Amino acid sequence: MLLEIGIALLKIIVVFALALLTVAYLTYIERKVIGHMQVRMGPMRVGPHGLLQPIADGLKLFMKEDIVPYEAYRFTFYFAPILTLVTALILFAVIPFDKHFAITRLNIGVMYILSIASVGVLGILLAGWASGSKYPILGGLRSAAQMLSYEIFLGFSIIGALMISGSLDLVKIVESQHVWNIVYQPVAFVIYIIAALGEINRVPFDLPEAETELVAGFHTEYSGMKFAYFFLAEYANMIIVCSMATILFLGGWRGPVLPGFVWFLIKLFALIYFFIWVRATFPRYRYDQFMKIGWKIMLPIVLANIVVTGVVMMMVQGG
Amino acid sequence: MGLISKIFGKDLLIGLNRTGRYGVSKPITMQYPKEKWTPYPAFRGTIRHLTKETEEGETRVRCNACGLCARACPAECIHIVGEGKGKDRVPKTFVIDFSRCLYCGLCVEACPQDALEMTSFYESAVYTREEMVFDLDKMLEDYSKWERTFKK
Amino acid sequence: MDEIRGLVVTEEGLVEQDLMRDTLTKEMWVNMGPQHPSTHGVLRVVLALEGERIVDTEIYIGYLHRGFEKFAESKTYPQFLPITDRLDYISAHAMNYGYVLAVEKLMGIEVPLRAKYIRTLMAELTRISSHLLWLATHALDIGAMTVFLYCFREREMILDLFEMVCGARLTTSYFRIGGVANDLPDGFIEKCREFCNIFPQKAKDYDDLILKNRIWLARTINVANISGEEGLNLGLSGPSIRGSGVKWDIRVSEPYGVYDKVEWEMAVEDGCDVYARYLVRLKEMRESCKICQQCLDFLEKDDSGEFRAKVPKVIKPPEGEAYACVEAPKGELGFYIVSDGSTKPYRLKIRAPSFANLMSLPKMVEGALVADVIAAIGSIDVVLGEVDR
């Protein structure tokens, strides 16, 4: 009994320490990659090649003055970033990085992730509302509409993969993929990536924090550590959606020769690299166009995808 | 754009190709304090005074305090008081307030004695306003000694 | 809020009435600027919003007012020249050009041909650099941040050329009444030629990223429309009016410099929207490049060395008045000078293109969304130094 608790605690510590470190260094990777795409070097000053930059950033944010605007709702204003970060971090609990390496194995892992992720939206909505300022409220409203509707497409797009695997357990989903699901579900994969970009507010769908329109969107009034919470949550969410894509479509830890978690990380970082690449390349959609894409183009496609998958499965299995 | 290329996102792929290619190429930026830009000879940096050798072999400033530079200056940042008469006229005080200077070079152009020169010194930031006011002695110094160096 | 009729259960049974009767909605006023990432300086736009839709726009300017027109009255003619740099600080040569043209007109000075070519060359290089900065910030406003860095890469090359010629990169003060400050230095022509040759290839990078990008098209086509007629009524000029299909370019209608001696094409588009203005500026950059090539051809062969006309030491124009205009990168730039015969202007009025262009913003964004305001401000290319003067 004690041993089990000990192992579980160890797992939690390892996963969260790794997760936080990765999240911090993700900001560094992003700045470096975008820098090189823009023919410049990115951070170069702190440490060799700027390797200590995330630590310097963290220290700076940690030591900043904690400002609460006069018009803000105090409790909610503090609560929102905590909610956002906590929901982002507890998602790591079910991600299987290797066959036997997950904090816990839930038989409804997919449901868990979808439902917790939708709580995260509340944090952003509350942040926008509690700031008592105009740009945050516009950002908050945008994010409410955006994240709620894109969650639908996110949910629909993985149904095809779930149907093939026949389980909601993340480990079983990976194990069932003798051939990666992306082969059977290319359309769903593309839709998933687009919906994921919308879900985690990244270019070209970074409307809630569109810096050139809404200054900084929902976190305009946040500074210091509270801002850092949002920042970490955003990158943690990026890791989560990328690992979900890896598990659902790219065969998780499956791969020859190398150990499982190495394969997992390779696939994960390839996806993250793609997200950064997209950010360096594309402009931003307008709010109404973005909703139009979601409801008028993506929704019919995912629904058709589910129907086609179902029919094909019927024909193959039911014969 | 054809329908097929639209579905496969040809327009988007072109862009991704461009940034992707630059992502693996060499950056073109200069790491400033480590590497420094060498200005062209015409660069209009901080102004300094020039000296000349007189017939007796002594070194003295070229300026004869005629005041044309002060009159040409749009920012009115040159203040001159001269002493002596005729060929011996030299500036008693010659002060340029570089916190007001536009670095337009009109004073250098106006000078009949070619006494002023715009150097290529550009790291002229200091901590107080008083340090920005240069007098004659300061303007005869070699500015390059103030250039900031960066330990690698 | 519009009335929505519907059936409601009341004490008298089902009654049709306005469902929004008890709903209080009012428009939200949002201050965009003076501290905002994409108002290009200290422009303040007050927007009345209904949701994200704009019902009213009001522009407040003057945050960068430095009183240049009054200032000119206490400065001699040559002394005011460096001040004109600070009008539109990203195209200083063009600002200088307008001013010296006005003074030369007042005094009746004939400028040597070589000086004219040098001036034209500089003005066109300025146009390229100004348009590059415009494209960079405009794309950044719409979200494409990599274009920003690519544009700055080429702009840096132009600034290097400026530094080579006159020693300053931004506030150049290179023009003088009667010519230019100094002749071109050795090696300039080769370096400038090299730039003009590689620029069209480098400009392909921006096209790759945004010219056909579907997101860019969605954000710019049919956004911030303004017809040619409305534009003319509001005093729009420069690339902004040429994007509405009006063939109006000072370089053609009132040629100055050597624009009547070189071959080039006026860029006109009929789209009336942000995308059309974008295309006009893209084409103008390439045309400017062509003009530069032709100027370089002349300057290479010419060995007269006359870069400045004989001008009296003290500039003292006769009594009278003169108006001279140039096609600055932003539009028609005019200097109107009244002289009382002394060494200082009696009155100087600047017709700043950005100022007139900015006033078309409320018309452009009628009923648009917040994001469109950003695109509209970007597309008319305002520089607040020039608006507020």
Side-chain angles (χ1 to χ4, degrees), chain C residues 107-386:
Chain C
M107 297 180 68
I109 297 170
E110 185 55 39
V111 180
L113 191 63
R114 184 176 174 83
K116 277 187 179 174
Y117 267 99
I118 295 177
R119 281 180 175 189
T120 310
L121 173 65
M122 288 300 152
E124 289 309 312
L125 283 175
T126 307
R127 193 181 311 282
I128 300 176
S129 86
S130 169
H131 282 352
L132 280 176
L133 192 122
W134 160 81
L135 179 60
T137 50
H138 186 41
L140 187 68
D141 286 349
I142 294 187
M145 61 170 168
T146 300
V147 183
F148 184 82
L149 274 297
Y150 293 170
C151 286
F152 265 61
R153 183 183 59 192
E154 271 74 69
R155 182 168 174 267
E156 208 59 20
M157 297 165 97
I158 298 178
L159 295 188
D160 281 357
L161 290 173
F162 288 170
E163 188 189 322
M164 201 170 174
V165 174
C166 59
R169 299 167 76 83
L170 210 61
T171 50
T172 47
S173 306
Y174 177 55
F175 291 19
R176 293 287 184 273
I177 294 156
V180 290
N182 49 277
D183 206 351
L184 298 175
D186 294 338
F188 173 81
I189 290 178
E190 292 76 46
K191 210 155 175 242
C192 189
R193 176 87 71 192
E194 190 193 322
F195 168 77
C196 293
N197 287 338
I198 63 168
F199 177 71
Q201 299 157 26
K202 295 271 187 182
K204 231 186 133 280
D205 285 354
Y206 332 136
D207 294 354
D208 279 354
L209 284 175
I210 51 179
L211 181 67
K212 289 205 176 93
N213 188 299
R214 64 184 70 181
I215 307 174
W216 181 263
L217 298 182
R219 282 299 300 277
T220 54
I221 286 183
N222 256 329
V223 167
N225 283 331
I226 190 156
S227 71
E229 201 191 334
E230 281 170 337
L232 283 177
N233 290 343
L234 287 163
L236 211 60
S237 60
S240 307
I241 192 82
R242 288 198 285 279
S244 297
V246 178
K247 289 192 174 172
W248 174 249
D249 192 323
I250 308 286
R251 289 176 289 175
V252 175
S253 56
E254 268 181 66
Y256 56 95
V258 291
Y259 286 111
D260 44 359
K261 294 191 183 70
V262 290
E263 266 175 51
W264 60 285
E265 227 176 284
M266 192 202 296
V268 182
E269 290 284 333
D270 296 323
C272 300
D273 52 13
V274 175
Y275 191 63
R277 279 165 240 149
Y278 158 76
L279 288 180
V280 165
R281 289 198 176 90
L282 273 194
K283 195 172 169 209
E284 263 189 25
M285 282 199 269
R286 290 175 168 93
E287 291 298 322
S288 292
C289 213
K290 268 193 229 161
I291 298 178
C292 288
Q293 292 274 25
Q294 292 171 49
C295 288
L296 287 173
D297 289 342
F298 174 86
L299 290 167
E300 218 164 30
K301 277 179 262 156
D302 178 64
D303 49 4
S304 66
E306 283 178 349
F307 59 87
R308 206 161 166 182
K310 281 261 173 270
V311 180
K313 264 246 144 82
V314 180
I315 304 234
K316 216 168 176 183
E319 236 171 274
E321 51 187 57
Y323 176 81
C325 53
V326 293
E327 179 77 15
K330 316 285 187 293
E332 177 184 343
L333 171 80
F335 278 86
Y336 177 66
I337 304 178
V338 182
S339 160
D340 57 358
S342 71
T343 54
K344 294 166 183 175
Y346 174 74
R347 172 84 172 92
L348 187 137
K349 160 88 181 107
I350 303 160
R351 191 259 183 227
S354 295
F355 176 74
N357 288 0
L358 183 61
M359 294 311 134
S360 62
L361 181 67
K363 185 91 199 159
M364 283 180 184
V365 298
E366 258 174 6
L369 297 166
V370 178
D372 294 339
V373 181
I374 301 303
I377 293 175
S379 78
I380 52 178
D381 193 9
V382 287
V383 169
L384 268 294
E386 198 181 40

Side-chain angles (χ1 to χ4, degrees), chain A:
Chain A
M1 181 66 194
L2 217 59
L3 190 71
E4 275 171 29
I5 295 175
I7 289 172
L9 269 178
L10 197 71
K11 271 183 181 172
I12 290 174
I13 290 165
V14 168
V15 168
F16 278 100
L18 279 178
L20 278 174
L21 198 71
T22 324
V23 166
Y25 269 87
L26 206 51
T27 62
Y28 171 77
I29 292 170
E30 170 150 39
R31 288 167 70 178
K32 211 68 183 166
V33 169
I34 289 187
H36 277 269
M37 283 177 177
Q38 296 174 342
V39 291
R40 61 194 173 87
M41 282 175 172
M44 283 294 280
R45 287 278 174 273
V46 194
H49 285 263
L51 266 171
L52 301 176
Q53 187 69 42
I55 294 163
D57 285 346
L59 265 178
K60 175 209 150 203
L61 286 169
F62 193 70
M63 295 201 292
K64 273 186 107 173
E65 189 189 349
D66 191 42
I67 300 167
V68 181
Y70 177 70
E71 297 240 336
Y73 300 88
R74 229 186 152 75
F75 173 74
T76 328
F77 191 72
Y78 276 100
F79 180 62
I82 297 170
L83 180 68
T84 315
L85 183 64
V86 167
T87 46
L89 285 184
I90 56 175
L91 286 175
F92 280 100
V94 291
I95 302 287
F97 295 96
D98 202 343
K99 194 169 182 183
H100 304 293
F101 194 80
I103 293 178
T104 180
R105 187 175 160 179
L106 274 184
N107 56 357
I108 49 160
V110 176
M111 288 299 290
Y112 172 83
I113 282 183
L114 285 180
S115 48
I116 297 287
S118 58
V119 178
V121 185
L122 280 179
I124 287 175
L125 189 54
L126 285 178
W129 176 72
S131 295
S133 171
K134 285 170 180 176
Y135 284 116
I137 201 138
L138 279 177
L141 287 174
R142 278 185 180 189
S143 72
Q146 166 178 342
M147 293 169 93
L148 289 178
S149 52
Y150 269 62
E151 222 144 69
I152 296 172
F153 320 131
L154 197 72
F156 274 135
S157 63
I158 61 179
I159 285 182
L162 296 183
M163 282 158 78
I164 293 172
S165 300
S167 171
L168 285 175
D169 184 351
L170 291 169
V171 179
K172 267 193 191 149
I173 290 172
V174 176
E175 277 175 346
S176 71
Q177 291 180 54
H178 300 290
V179 180
W180 292 0
N181 272 341
I182 189 176
V183 179
Y184 301 124
Q185 296 282 332
V187 180
F189 180 69
V190 172
I191 298 275
Y192 177 85
I193 291 293
I194 296 172
L197 283 170
E199 176 73 16
I200 57 170
N201 304 328
R202 281 186 70 83
V203 171
F205 307 126
D206 60 340
L207 305 165
E209 47 193 299
E211 66 192 28
T212 50
E213 295 154 28
L214 303 181
V215 188
F218 63 86
H219 59 65
T220 307
E221 303 289 349
Y222 281 87
S223 63
M225 223 38 213
K226 298 201 291 302
F227 167 73
Y229 277 12
F230 279 123
F231 203 63
L232 289 177
E234 199 179 311
Y235 284 90
N237 275 330
M238 189 161 127
I239 296 181
I240 291 292
V241 291
C242 287
S243 18
M244 279 292 281
T246 312
I247 291 162
L248 291 167
F249 295 102
L250 300 179
W253 61 80
R254 280 169 168 275
V257 189
L258 292 168
F261 71 94
V262 175
W263 272 109
F264 189 87
L265 288 182
I266 287 172
K267 291 167 188 173
L268 177 66
F269 276 97
L271 277 173
I272 287 173
Y273 185 85
F274 178 74
F275 276 32
I276 296 171
W277 192 1
V278 164
R279 179 167 175 208
T281 311
F282 295 142
R284 176 185 306 120
Y285 267 116
R286 204 172 61 200
Y287 177 61
D288 59 328
Q289 293 161 346
F290 169 72
M291 297 308 268
K292 207 190 281 173
I293 293 168
W295 291 102
K296 289 190 179 165
I297 301 174
M298 277 166 59
L299 190 64
I301 293 177
V302 276
L303 290 178
N305 183 54
I306 293 169
V307 172
V308 171
T309 313
V311 169
V312 171
M313 278 179 72
M314 281 270 285
M315 288 187 336
V316 173
Q317 291 168 355

Side-chain angles (χ1 to χ4, degrees), chain B residues 1 5-12 14-16 18-19 22-23 28 37-40 42-45 70-76 101-106 109, chain C residues 71 74-75 78-80 82-83 85-86 146 150 153 160 163-169 171-174 176 181 191 202 204-205 208-209 212-215 217 308:
Chain B
M1 196 162 47
S5 63
K6 188 163 185 179
I7 288 171
F8 284 98
K10 192 184 164 203
D11 51 332
L12 305 177
I14 292 172
L16 286 174
R18 181 53 56 207
T19 43
Y22 276 118
I28 53 146
W37 170 251
T38 324
Y40 288 100
F43 187 74
R44 300 208 306 252
R71 226 175 293 167
C73 181
E76 293 166 21
C101 180
L102 297 176
Y103 297 91
C104 62
L106 287 184
E109 212 167 284
Chain C
F71 194 48
S74 62
K75 292 281 156 214
Q79 271 183 350
F80 188 63
I83 312 296
D85 287 347
R86 275 90 182 157
T146 300
Y150 293 170
R153 183 183 59 192
D160 281 357
E163 188 189 322
M164 201 170 174
V165 174
C166 59
R169 299 167 76 83
T171 50
T172 47
S173 306
Y174 177 55
R176 293 287 184 273
K191 210 155 175 242
K202 295 271 187 182
K204 231 186 133 280
D205 285 354
D208 279 354
L209 284 175
K212 289 205 176 93
N213 188 299
R214 64 184 70 181
I215 307 174
L217 298 182
R308 206 161 166 182

